[in-house]
Amino acid sequence: MIQVLSSAWALLLGMCLLMVGNGMQGTLLGIRGALEGFSTFEMSIVMSAYFVGFLGGSRLAPHMIRRVGHVRVFAALASLISAVMILYPTFPAVPLWAIGRVLIGFCFSAVYVTAESWLNNAADNSNRGQALSLYMIVQTLGVVVAQALLLAADPSGYVLFVIPSVLVSVAVTPILLTISPTPAFDTTKPMSLRELLGYSPLGCIGMFLLGGVFSAQFGMAPVYGAEAGLSVAQISTFVATFFVGAVVLQYPIGWVSDRMDRRALVVIVSAIGAAGSVLGMTLGGVFWLLLVSAFIVGGMSNPLYSLLIAHTNDFLQHEDMAAASGGLIFINGLGAILGPVITGWMMGTALGPGGFYLFTTILFAILAAYAAYRATRRPAVPVDETGSYVAIYPTATSVAVEYAQEYAIESEQDGENAR
């Protein structure tokens, strides 16, 4: 761990600052949109726009990096993110906010691709697992810290928009001045979706459903808080609790997944997620119960992402894993685009704020039922033949997922050699 920190501290610090900026702008827009009088459905369009841009960025960023290089892409897009964040309060209109969210989603996706390729270059076989763990912790820490910073000023003013803009600008400095050399860049061409569906129907359907769950909690949780009448402090605590649950429960679920049929674990984890959503829908008026619900939903949905990737890999040859990761990320992105829109529509009906939790309840329940069905269609892969579970965050790009795949393969081979 010390070796990883010494070689990649600047990159990890920069990524933490980037995540603080991203976490702040997402929650802040949900709060500010309510103050501006935007409807729930209008805000759902704004929130969904981020995932449109993110999906586009994940597809185009590799081409940009090959054409002009890591440094130029990173610096240019970080500057654009900083500029857009300042423009939000200057032009409070839904179409302009939606365009801004598309741009920010695109830029963050490309920035993540660049940073993750640098991280991959900074690690080696001896510390790859620690680097992945630190990367995920830094990402989550950044989002949690972002929620605390929302209490620094009045959300109706400009200061809270200036803070993430400055943080993103500052994040570039340690990365560009310290990280060297610039890594070689290459990504694997994604496997066709038809092929991927044939290998793992549960992996594909599950990633689509999970995209809706994650984007709902990442994009619409602050909108839910504003509609439910929570204070700014309560909204920031509520949003942060999703990510705290993700960190606390990621590794215990991962440990269990390496020791049982992963389809059964998907059923269990999804059912618990559905129960947590029902708790929030029925007893969310009691704030501490709302936090318990957020902890459960975040703690189940984030590990499910890694769990579905690990399950899919159990049916693939090593050489196909990297190609499959691109397809899984694309499917997850499609679900993420639809998630806020459907959630916003449900919240805009007679269901009110409860539509937020009804949506996640339905998706979790469908995933649990489908995983149980798939368990009847073919025998489980023996536990001693499954690959290793590697924790990875749902906002990770194909570079980080391929990086995780490499580590999983290495871990599996080390285990075989030890036996």
Side-chain angles (χ1 to χ4, degrees):
M1 192 71 75
I2 294 174
Q3 182 183 355
V4 175
L5 283 172
S6 64
S7 63
W9 68 267
L11 174 61
L12 293 170
L13 174 61
M15 284 303 300
C16 186
L17 293 175
L18 285 169
M19 290 304 295
V20 173
N22 198 8
M24 276 194 75
Q25 63 95 21
T27 305
L28 180 57
L29 285 183
I31 297 171
R32 184 61 176 264
L35 296 176
E36 296 288 349
F38 298 158
S39 70
T40 303
F41 186 71
E42 286 175 329
M43 284 307 301
S44 74
I45 297 297
V46 171
M47 295 305 179
S48 177
Y50 174 88
F51 298 99
V52 174
F54 196 91
L55 185 59
S58 67
R59 310 293 281 190
L60 295 179
H63 303 291
M64 295 168 59
I65 293 171
R66 290 190 193 100
R67 184 174 180 181
V68 301
H70 287 75
V71 174
R72 290 180 179 177
V73 169
F74 195 91
L77 296 185
S79 298
L80 183 56
I81 292 170
S82 182
V84 172
M85 287 178 175
I86 292 293
L87 292 176
Y88 280 135
T90 307
F91 302 102
V94 171
L96 294 178
W97 277 20
I99 293 171
R101 287 280 286 179
V102 170
L103 289 174
I104 280 191
F106 179 91
C107 292
F108 265 113
S109 177
V111 164
Y112 291 161
V113 167
T114 308
E116 288 165 6
S117 62
W118 257 318
L119 181 65
N120 191 21
N121 190 65
D124 56 36
N125 292 347
S126 65
N127 58 22
R128 197 175 300 278
Q130 292 90 337
L132 281 168
S133 297
L134 274 175
Y135 180 64
M136 197 191 104
I137 290 170
V138 161
Q139 282 188 308
T140 307
L141 178 65
V143 176
V144 172
V145 169
Q147 309 315 308
L149 286 177
L150 290 171
L151 305 179
D154 184 353
S156 63
Y158 279 83
V159 174
L160 288 182
F161 289 92
V162 173
I163 292 174
S165 174
V166 171
L167 288 174
V168 170
S169 297
V170 171
V172 177
T173 305
I175 294 175
L176 296 185
L177 291 182
T178 310
I179 299 298
S180 62
T182 300
F185 184 81
D186 192 26
T187 55
T188 307
K189 183 179 179 180
M191 180 183 294
S192 74
L193 297 185
R194 183 185 295 273
E195 265 188 293
L196 187 56
L197 185 63
Y199 281 118
S200 179
L202 176 57
C204 294
I205 301 300
M207 289 296 269
F208 180 77
L209 296 172
L210 200 58
V213 173
F214 180 75
S215 64
Q217 72 183 47
F218 186 76
M220 295 300 290
V223 179
Y224 165 87
E227 290 291 317
L230 301 181
S231 67
V232 174
Q234 288 176 322
I235 292 173
S236 63
T237 304
F238 173 60
V239 174
T241 304
F242 284 103
F243 297 94
V244 172
V247 170
V248 171
L249 298 178
Q250 179 83 251
Y251 291 99
I253 290 174
W255 184 86
V256 174
S257 82
D258 287 339
R259 290 160 177 80
M260 66 178 291
D261 182 357
R262 287 186 168 131
R263 294 171 302 184
L265 187 58
V266 170
V267 173
I268 295 169
V269 171
S270 300
I272 295 173
S277 296
V278 171
L279 175 65
M281 185 168 54
T282 56
L283 300 175
V286 181
F287 185 63
W288 73 269
L289 288 176
L290 185 65
L291 295 184
V292 171
S293 170
F295 182 88
I296 294 172
V297 172
M300 296 301 108
S301 60
N302 285 270
L304 270 172
Y305 184 84
S306 302
L307 184 57
L308 288 169
I309 290 176
H311 167 75
T312 302
N313 286 344
D314 289 341
F315 299 97
L316 296 170
Q317 298 298 317
H318 290 169
E319 59 270 18
D320 295 325
M321 290 181 180
S325 67
L328 290 174
I329 289 174
F330 181 75
I331 292 170
N332 185 260
L334 293 179
I337 292 170
L338 295 175
V341 176
I342 298 174
T343 307
W345 173 78
M346 294 177 73
M347 290 174 64
T349 64
L351 295 169
F356 171 81
Y357 272 121
L358 178 59
F359 179 67
T360 57
T361 300
I362 291 172
L363 293 189
F364 274 128
I366 293 173
L367 180 52
Y370 187 68
Y373 165 74
R374 288 302 309 171
T376 67
R377 305 308 297 169
R378 62 182 173 186
V381 177
V383 172
D384 59 353
E385 295 180 14
T386 60
S388 299
Y389 172 102
V390 180
I392 196 72
Y393 201 61
T395 55
T397 69
S398 58
V399 173
V401 176
E402 289 180 20
Y403 176 25
Q405 307 280 31
E406 292 174 13
Y407 176 67
I409 293 170
E410 291 163 4
S411 299
E412 184 181 349
Q413 291 172 341
D414 289 343
E416 290 174 354
N417 293 335
R419 289 194 292 269

